[in-house]
Amino acid sequence: MGMSGNGAGPGVRRVLVRDGTSHALLDDVAKQIIEQLQEDGRRPYASIGKAVGLSEAAVRQRVQRLLDAGVMQIVAVTDPLQLGFPRQAMIGLRISGDLEQVADRLALFDEVDYVVITAGSFDLLCEVVCRDDDHLLEILKRLRAVEGVVSTEAFVYLKLRKQTYSWGTA
């Protein structure tokens, strides 16, 4: 989920929908609200209400329920390049022991913006943002020092061709 080159421009707010959450709140209207916010996280509730057939107050309540339940979050998607982090990489990690415990430890690193447990040749993937190659090397050393990390492999980003948060709802 690299943040550079997303085509959205600086400071654009997007909505991320979290997996594994309760689907009880996701009726057709809630899905339409989410899709509206995925297109533009700053869209006024009155505009969303017109699009989905609800009042502004009803949209506000629904959005708050979705936020409180962890179904989605509204965030500012930034461009790491413009914030002084021109180097990004995906790190594949092989782990011994409890994957979730190691994933939780990696998630504490300030430079790590994404951690996922995977199937395949790596147990975990984590994305890092760095000031430069020396910073990346320092992060790799710190990641390798985490108990349970057996090995790492870095995939340095050269150019991001596509990134989207508007995949809709199921």
Side-chain angles (χ1 to χ4, degrees):
M1 286 187 164
M3 301 301 176
S4 64
N6 63 24
V12 171
R13 292 163 46 114
R14 297 288 181 138
V15 175
L16 305 178
V17 178
R18 295 293 193 205
D19 293 327
T21 56
S22 170
H23 295 287
L25 296 171
L26 294 181
D27 61 9
D28 287 339
V29 173
K31 289 178 181 182
Q32 290 174 31
I33 291 170
I34 290 169
E35 288 169 0
Q36 291 281 314
L37 288 168
Q38 282 178 320
E39 289 175 17
D40 179 358
R42 296 181 297 180
R43 182 165 288 155
Y45 292 150
S47 298
I48 295 170
K50 288 177 187 171
V52 302
L54 293 176
S55 69
E56 178 180 351
V59 171
R60 181 177 286 105
Q61 286 180 330
R62 288 223 181 198
V63 168
Q64 193 59 54
R65 282 199 308 257
L66 292 166
L67 293 169
D68 291 346
V71 173
M72 68 176 188
Q73 59 180 316
I74 300 173
V75 299
V77 177
T78 58
D79 183 347
L81 289 171
Q82 294 187 38
L83 296 176
F85 298 102
R87 173 63 71 217
Q88 290 179 268
M90 184 66 68
I91 313 294
L93 300 102
R94 291 183 181 86
I95 306 300
S96 68
D98 188 324
L99 291 177
E100 292 188 9
Q101 282 184 359
V102 176
D104 290 344
R105 283 190 219 119
L106 299 179
L108 296 175
F109 284 66
D110 289 336
E111 299 91 346
V112 172
D113 64 12
Y114 175 83
V115 178
V116 62
I117 297 172
T118 64
S121 61
F122 296 106
D123 299 305
L124 299 174
L125 292 174
C126 68
E127 182 181 71
V128 297
V129 293
C130 315
R131 292 182 305 273
D132 53 32
D133 287 340
D134 288 335
H135 189 203
L136 175 57
L137 181 58
E138 179 227 318
I139 293 167
L140 285 168
K141 288 177 184 177
R142 290 176 30 224
L143 291 173
R144 290 174 180 146
V146 171
E147 185 179 341
V149 173
V150 174
S151 66
T152 63
E153 186 171 345
F155 301 91
V156 174
Y157 298 178
L158 299 176
K159 185 181 281 190
L160 183 63
R161 297 301 294 181
K162 179 180 180 179
Q163 177 179 346
T164 183
Y165 296 99
S166 56
W167 51 81
T169 57

